[in-house]
Amino acid sequence: MSAQSDTRKARPGSWQPATTSDPMLRKHGSLGRPISRVDGPLKVQGKARFAAEYPYENICYAALVFSRIARGRITRIETTAAERAPGVVLVMTYRNAPRMKAPSLMMSSPSAAGASDLPVMQSDEIHWNGQAVALVLGETQEQADHAASLIEVDYASLPADTSFEEAKKKPRQLETLLGQPPILEIGDAENALKASPVQVDNVYRTPRHNHNAIELHAATVAWKGDELRVHDATQMIDLTAGQLADIFGIDKEKVRVSSPYVGGGFGGKCLWDHQILACAAAKLAQRPVRIMLSREGVFRLVGGRTVTEQRVAFGADNDGTLNSLIHTGVVAMTLHNSCPEQFTFPARHLYAAKTFRLAQEVADMDMLANTFMRAPGEAVGTFALESALDELADKLGIDPIELRKRIEPEKDPTSGKAFSSRHIIEAYEAGAKQFGWHRRNPMPRQSREGEWLIGMGCATATYPYHRFPGTAASIRLTADGRITVSTAVHDMGMGTATAQTQHIAARLGVLADRITFEYGDSALPRGVIAGGSTQTASIGGAVIAATEVFVEELIKLAGNASPLAGLSLADVEPRDNGIGHRNDPGRFETYESILRRSGRSELVCQADAPPPAEMEAFSMHSYGAQFCEVRVSEITGEIRVTRFLGSFDAGRILNAKTATSQFKGGIVMGIGLALTEETNFDERTGRIVNASLAEYHVPVQMDVPRIDIIYTDKADPQAPMGARGIGEIGITGVGAAVANAVFNATGKRIRDLPITLDKMI
Ligand code: MOS
């Protein structure tokens, strides 16, 4: 930084959600436009460097050996042959691993980041089938892999809870469901159900899912004295830096984690054992280390979505009035993780019912820590809830969209709070029109072409709005008139940098090509995790605060000789690469000119986002209506999704192209959830037996039909930029939309995901 730079430090943002989001943004046309990703050219040229691509001199490569029992102890570990194998640098086991503190569990404190809080390779204890028991460093990956295959491990097994059926018999009550009470009761829902003329009461099951981002989990790490440099593939750089510092007993300032490009992350690209092991091995070997998990390694070390069993019951009058809404159930968890798969969340705010009983508990198992995976809770919760609602509509003989209109609440039905913005019925109507819903015959099995039965289904998508506190952004103006905005956040391909570039351009009245958005590095001002569809709003809050400080500083800097002399923030608006009086076109000066006249080479300002007060005051959610058409072969039971349309209400859309891509990606993942994805967990041994993409079936090109995306684009007055999150909602409701379409096609109601051929015949 030059001697002439001027840094204004974190001052609480003056921006308040209710008053701001719009005036600037309405004026400037770039927001919402389908601008291509700013990182696109680097990616297509192969110049974007991913975590496993950083070259270091003298680097060595890590391979892992995974436990074959679910619980117990290592009784013998024979590493001599591996140590003597060609190219081996070292073998690390619990016997020689450096002493490290255990990670602290994500959400146990604001700075904790561990997906599990188990110590990593510190003793002979085994906690899950697949735990890393040895790490080999080799001069090449192949040498490391070969040596790892020579390690022999014997175990003494202890009794392990590996059966969900058994574990369910002794459920644990949760203390909290991500900060909400795990049991929510309004009135006497069981009795209201019994007293209702129309009742639906069923159990729905969803299986485990594993994270399968195209980019394998990887890190390149290097120590320089007690300084640790980590190139990670992560959605939480800042927390990872803090956690690694804690684990290795060094100051956070000594750890720098960067992750500018990530090849997919849906809750799984967090802090797992592999980064910690790589740092430990690099310390032991005193060499830089690259670790890239094999696809099997991802299944063994990176947790996924857990198994659920859910009961949904509706008690209704003949006109659809809901007397009772019950959503209860159980998920598998471990004692060492923090993701309760909050499947009861959608039922808290979607429908006006007179009574509610929403409750979930957990069954503890000896398994890899389950974790957050795209719309944890909502993805599987909406499968149960929205299937059940479709069953109710069928029983009532009311069109499912008409039923939703009749039970649309005016305010949040369980919290009593006002909705910040809710246009779900509009989303349904627009979607129904474009999809041709009126062509659907409400009677199942009425539409066919040869052996193919054709059906349509719809379901509601929903995901909450959150904004995490603690995001800071800095803004730097340089003499060339360029503006750089920096914050330690993430772009995993979803378009963060692109949308924020548009936002900053709009807010400062400059063209997007003058803006650089810096992110993906823990050395930048503190950012939040890319999770819970919160990042965009969180960054927005910080950027708005920083731009306000920036404009104020510029007015001061402009001084008496400027046409801006005597004006305050409230008098001005950014426009045409500078600042002007709101009502006087003549009073204007460009950013460049202000800086030049001040004699400075740059101006740097920084601010924190204001606390997320809007979340307390309002019920804030994104919504959508998912429409699906399927064809089911009467002969083979084969199910083909032939058309899909998602109609979303997610606040203002910041970039039509990247947003559409996010929604579509969620729907594609939802088609996998509906039809093919299932982790086969061997209940006898606790081992995942389909730990490869050959046997774990994600949707491929031929499984995905044309998907149309439309949205209401109504700015949420309570959200920064008017935008709610869009990253996770796409997957929600898809399971039910497919199941409901399958019912409409065949008359078969499948309540157990995935809907595979065997369930159809
Ligand atoms: Mo998402 S499960 O918060 O990446």
Side-chain angles (χ1 to χ4, degrees), residues 211-217 263-266 269 292 295 298 693 698:
H211 281 289
N212 275 295
I214 292 296
E215 180 200 23
L216 297 158
H217 287 61
F266 309 93
K269 288 268 170 75
M292 183 169 75
R295 185 58 64 180
V298 178
L693 284 177
V698 297

Side-chain angles (χ1 to χ4, degrees), residues 211 235 265-268 372-376 463 492 529-533 728:
H211 281 289
Q235 47 199 101
F266 309 93
F372 303 89
M373 183 161 170
R374 206 172 201 162
Y463 196 77
M492 308 188 286
I529 67 163
S533 299
E728 326 211 20

